[in-house]
Amino acid sequence: MGDPLANRPDEVALRRDLAAGRFLLGVATGRWRLESIAFPHAVVSVIAADGIAYGLRFECSDYPRTAVTACPWDVERDQPLAPEMWPKGTSRIPLAFNPQWKNATCLYLPCDRISVQGHDPWRTKHPQLLWDPSKGICKYLAIVHELLNSGEYGGRRAVAA
């Protein structure tokens, strides 16, 4: 008997998006790269202005109908990224990459499934940053890439030991 999770519509949709042009264009242009998929999780690294690759571990259940959620991820150690290794910067960077938010389990972004809960004003204040099922995970990745390549980005909080 096969894997009971095989051929789940959400997994099929995620894999289709990760093999499609929008995602592959981000890979080809050096914006992000796929690290692994162990559904319902996918790990994708987003490349910052200084070349640091920040891993994000996405939880993708009910994809793309339901927004994903992602936490900064240590790709080498396969565990959450230590808060002292999160990106630093000004303005939007410490808001989005806030280790105190939800115990460092997600980014503080309107496109994040967990963060959007209880933030109804975001729907009118930041409609361009909300989850869009037609763009899927690439919408989230594009928002993170823009932040990590903005003038507000200030590098990594600490140097790996």
Side-chain angles (χ1 to χ4, degrees), residues 30-127:
R31 296 172 75 192
W32 52 70
R33 66 175 176 252
L34 179 63
E35 302 289 354
S36 64
I37 304 174
F39 198 80
H41 297 102
V43 178
V44 180
S45 289
V46 179
I47 314 306
D50 56 5
I52 293 175
Y54 290 96
L56 293 173
R57 183 175 187 245
F58 289 90
E59 202 290 329
C60 303
S61 297
D62 198 31
Y63 182 89
R65 187 173 59 159
T66 301
V68 297
T69 185
C71 76
W73 198 251
D74 187 324
V75 175
E76 283 78 37
R77 293 182 177 93
D78 196 28
Q79 65 186 27
L81 188 64
E84 63 271 12
M85 301 300 288
W86 286 34
K88 67 177 181 181
T90 60
S91 190
R92 298 175 299 159
I93 301 295
L95 292 173
F97 294 92
N98 179 356
Q100 282 72 50
W101 174 250
K102 298 289 185 180
N103 295 316
T105 59
C106 63
L107 299 185
Y108 189 71
L109 293 172
C111 59
D112 189 277
R113 173 193 316 158
I114 293 172
S115 291
V116 76
Q117 295 172 11
H119 287 94
D120 290 336
W122 279 356
R123 297 188 191 290
T124 53
K125 284 182 75 175
H126 307 292

